[in-house]
Amino acid sequence: MKTLPCGHVAHAAGNRLCRHVFDAVRTDYYALLTGRGIEADLCCAECVEAAERGDVPPLVKVCEGCYDRRAEDVSGWRGEPGITERPEPVDGTLLVTPLPDGLGTVLDVAGVPGRWLVLTADARLSLLDPAGGGEEVAAGILTPEPDERPRVRRLFRHRLHVDGDGRFAAVVNDHGRHGRVVDLRTGRVTMTLHGGGGGSTR
Ligand SMILES: [Zn+2]
Ligand SMILES: [Zn+2]
């Protein structure tokens, strides 16, 4: 790794800043889409105009940190995104997979890439394969709620949420106050949630 023009010894960001944004001569700037996916260089209005005319504006390489910090403050987007196409027929066959024997009562289901995450009444989280079979990833995952008011009891439900990558799951109590975040790779609880004393978490 070598020292970048921003003065940091770090990985260069995939995209760049125009010289004027880099020198902070212009503090108002745009994310100029390069036509590769949603990649964008950060450019002042003059450099955006130059690029639209077909000229190449003066661009400076910076580290990912310097790029990301400035990317938070863009005034707008210019240019065109790249559109990726992959035309192919979609298989509309519905695949029905029976739940494994002994799984027990299912409280909630969430999709993770390629699999299903299932929360069962015996406080376990299991990852199920659409082709059949599965594995337990965590146990003892439900948090009880002490609230005995009948209205709350009636609405109370254990619910499951998964992040987009399928790495973390949150097991929370709707109309309760408690919940836990689980790392699905290790099965460990990484965070204990508490909605505070003023009401329910919903
Ligand atoms: Zn510029
Ligand atoms: Zn930097």
Side-chain angles (χ1 to χ4, degrees):
M1 248 181 281
K2 55 182 184 177
T3 307
L4 293 164
C6 59
H8 298 129
V9 181
H11 286 293
N15 294 95
R16 298 153 295 174
L17 310 182
C18 84
R19 163 66 56 194
H20 317 103
V21 174
F22 178 79
D23 290 337
V25 179
R26 294 279 189 280
T27 53
D28 194 37
Y29 50 88
Y30 301 89
L32 178 64
L33 292 159
T34 59
R36 293 187 305 274
I38 54 161
E39 289 183 14
D41 295 321
L42 305 181
C43 291
C44 71
E46 286 80 2
C47 287
V48 169
E49 275 174 33
E52 284 169 351
R53 280 196 309 270
D55 296 339
V56 179
L59 295 167
V60 183
K61 268 193 179 171
V62 292
C63 73
E64 288 170 346
C66 285
Y67 178 90
D68 290 347
R69 243 188 326 281
R70 287 205 179 65
E72 288 172 7
D73 293 325
V74 294
S75 298
W77 292 76
R78 298 290 183 270
E80 298 291 334
I83 296 172
T84 311
E85 285 185 33
R86 188 174 152 182
E88 60 183 61
V90 174
D91 184 356
T93 313
L94 191 64
L95 178 68
V96 178
T97 310
L99 293 173
D101 292 339
L103 188 69
T105 306
V106 174
L107 298 181
D108 207 356
V109 179
V112 296
R115 292 196 284 182
W116 297 101
L117 185 67
V118 179
L119 174 67
T120 42
D122 57 1
R124 285 182 299 156
L125 274 180
S126 305
L127 278 169
L128 303 185
D129 213 300
E135 54 168 331
E136 181 181 314
V137 284
I141 208 64
L142 297 179
T143 320
E145 291 283 342
D147 200 328
E148 297 296 339
R149 283 175 297 167
R151 193 186 70 85
V152 177
R153 278 281 127 218
R154 188 159 41 85
L155 294 171
F156 175 80
R157 232 191 114 189
H158 296 294
R159 291 263 261 162
L160 184 58
H161 302 272
V162 181
D163 80 312
D165 300 335
R167 170 85 198 266
F168 295 98
V171 180
V172 298
N173 295 342
D174 266 10
H175 296 280
R177 280 196 273 270
H178 299 280
R180 289 171 181 176
V181 176
V182 186
D183 183 336
L184 296 176
R185 277 194 224 164
T186 62
R188 289 218 187 92
V189 173
T190 58
M191 209 188 293
T192 305
L193 308 173
H194 191 285
S200 68
T201 53
R202 184 147 201 166

